[in-house]
Amino acid sequence: MNAANNNKWFRQVMENLQRDDGLTASAVINERDGPFPLWERLASPEGPCEMLMEDAVYIALGDYRHPLCGRFLDWTISTAERALSDPRFEIESESRFKGWRNSPISPGNRGRVLAISALASAMKNGVDVDQHKIREAADQLVTSALLEKGRNWADRLVQGQFMYAVRLLMICGDWERARKLISVKRKFEAVSRQHQIMRGLLGSGDCEGNNPPDLSSPAWDKFQEYFKSVRVPEGNPIIREDGGGAPCFYRMQIGLIYHRIMSKGQKIIWPEVFSVVGAGG
């Protein structure tokens, strides 16, 4: 990967941390008031978890070992754990302030929190992801996405949620399950580029059993080109078009897939992931 792009991430992140209204200022507020002090008024628990994770990954793209990266990961984990233990995930209510178990948003909302919890904990502790939690999160995301029909299914966010589940399984190295999932008989016109690239990659090589993608295939070349296009700061519009959600978090997911394939299924080494996606260190 291009070292110049890595340096660009580093400069951008360091400039943000030095601004009076940057992430350092946000950290001071979190330290003083705690993240999301008005918790009882929270309608979408996945939102704050993903926002904190996005900030942590953004810092890691510039400097994985920066102390603030660890602090934002701590807040991400504690917020996700708070959400997962909140009784509102077991309550159906017309008001989302009172209950979060409302179809079709549920169980996908819980799946998003669970995925954040697993990924943030692995990143913070420098270990591989909890495969059981990631698979459970993927199942919940898919359940909610497939509850949507017609116009609702055509929405980029809904199709993006389905593809999020596919990426999570790829991050696990569960190629067989990811192949079955992406072969679902639905149209993916809203996220066609991401869908075509991932489906091509998962369909490359010997697809029997849980074999990984073929590194000698044209599909692998296309995936690498896609990775190069989204990993740079200028890749945000592509990520938005592909329903990727928080851009830095999406970059990390693609980087984890790249790492899982290149390492031939070995455990995740987080400094290596960020050395490829961002500035490393």
Side-chain angles (χ1 to χ4, degrees):
M1 296 294 174
N2 193 318
N5 288 328
N6 290 349
N7 292 335
K8 185 181 293 185
W9 269 121
F10 181 80
R11 290 195 302 272
Q12 185 184 92
V13 172
M14 293 306 109
E15 288 171 2
N16 180 290
L17 294 176
Q18 292 167 13
R19 290 204 324 261
D20 291 339
D21 61 345
L23 285 173
T24 301
S26 296
V28 171
I29 296 172
N30 286 345
E31 291 281 9
R32 185 189 66 206
D33 302 331
F36 301 95
L38 299 177
W39 184 261
E40 68 281 357
R41 295 170 60 182
L42 188 63
S44 302
E46 62 276 22
C49 298
E50 291 175 354
M51 186 173 74
L52 289 165
M53 185 65 172
E54 175 74 357
D55 289 340
V57 175
Y58 174 77
I59 297 169
L61 290 172
D63 183 0
Y64 170 65
R65 293 184 174 87
H66 195 285
L68 269 187
C69 177
R71 292 300 295 129
F72 274 97
L73 285 173
D74 285 338
W75 291 319
T76 304
I77 295 165
S78 63
T79 302
E81 290 176 350
R82 184 179 185 182
L84 291 170
S85 64
D86 195 302
R88 281 176 287 183
F89 265 129
E90 302 302 323
I91 298 172
E92 296 181 24
S93 173
E94 292 183 1
S95 170
R96 287 203 294 168
F97 296 106
K98 298 179 180 179
W100 299 336
R101 192 176 180 178
N102 302 311
S103 179
I105 295 171
S106 175
N109 54 356
R110 185 181 184 279
R112 286 168 63 181
V113 174
L114 188 60
I116 290 287
S117 174
L119 290 167
S121 296
M123 182 176 163
K124 169 68 177 179
N125 297 316
V127 298
D128 208 343
V129 295
D130 185 317
Q131 304 271 327
H132 175 74
K133 286 184 177 180
I134 290 292
R135 289 188 179 97
E136 183 181 353
D139 287 345
Q140 292 176 349
L141 287 161
V142 166
T143 297
S144 279
L146 292 181
L147 286 172
E148 303 283 14
K149 308 290 184 181
R151 279 187 189 175
N152 291 338
W153 167 258
D155 188 271
R156 181 179 290 127
L157 295 178
V158 174
Q159 294 183 17
Q161 179 163 289
F162 184 96
M163 291 304 301
Y164 184 10
V166 173
R167 296 194 304 273
L168 289 174
L169 293 175
M170 295 173 78
I171 288 169
C172 281
D174 195 341
W175 309 114
E176 183 175 23
R177 199 167 176 179
R179 287 186 186 106
K180 289 179 180 178
L181 187 57
I182 208 167
S183 297
V184 68
K185 295 187 182 301
R186 293 276 186 116
K187 292 182 179 180
F188 287 85
E189 294 174 348
V191 293
S192 59
R193 174 173 42 206
Q194 184 195 168
H195 180 263
Q196 290 171 9
I197 289 168
M198 297 305 185
R199 184 165 186 169
L201 185 63
L202 288 166
S204 66
D206 183 1
C207 294
E208 294 297 324
N210 200 37
N211 294 316
D214 181 3
L215 298 185
S216 64
S217 70
W220 171 245
D221 294 336
K222 289 181 179 179
F223 174 80
Q224 290 189 94
E225 286 301 315
Y226 181 70
F227 185 24
K228 290 177 183 177
S229 70
V230 301
R231 66 176 290 274
V232 295
E234 296 81 6
N236 286 5
I238 297 174
I239 295 172
R240 284 194 293 271
E241 288 175 12
D242 287 354
C248 292
F249 183 43
Y250 183 84
R251 290 182 175 94
M252 187 187 84
Q253 293 168 43
I254 302 299
L256 286 169
I257 294 168
Y258 179 90
H259 180 275
R260 186 70 80 183
I261 295 171
M262 290 296 291
S263 68
K264 299 181 180 179
Q266 295 302 306
K267 292 182 178 180
I268 294 170
I269 301 175
W270 289 93
E272 289 186 7
V273 173
F274 285 104
S275 71
V276 173
V277 185

